[in-house]
Amino acid sequence: MIKLDQFLKFLGIASTGGQAKWMIVDGEVEVNGILETRRGRKLVDDDLVTIGGQTFQVGEIISKSTDS
């Protein structure tokens, strides 16, 4: 499990936690097709996070980083 703001930092979309917070609060992020404004939202492997027209499956991203 990973929090939404941490996931954005992990992806490199946000360089800081503050930047991730504002992206979320400003309504730039969807989780499973629904606008999400809680930066502490806990994500699970099957969740889909969409930002800037790109969609990322949490489990695929996390597993790729642990495979390398």
Side-chain angles (χ1 to χ4, degrees):
M1 209 176 305
I2 187 170
K3 290 194 276 182
L4 180 56
D5 60 346
Q6 294 172 335
F7 185 68
L8 296 180
K9 284 178 26 181
F10 183 82
L11 285 172
I13 291 174
S15 56
T16 66
Q19 182 183 15
K21 172 187 171 182
W22 287 113
M23 293 171 88
I24 296 165
V25 170
D26 286 345
E28 297 179 34
V29 182
E30 291 183 357
V31 177
N32 301 325
I34 300 170
L35 182 67
E36 182 58 69
T37 57
R38 298 171 294 166
R39 68 180 182 164
R41 160 77 186 259
K42 293 180 182 172
L43 303 172
V44 295
D45 287 349
D46 291 338
D47 284 334
L48 299 174
V49 176
T50 303
I51 184 162
Q54 290 186 294
T55 301
F56 305 92
Q57 184 175 5
V58 174
E60 284 182 12
I61 301 298
I62 300 298
S63 68
K64 284 181 185 177
S65 75
T66 58
D67 288 345
S68 34

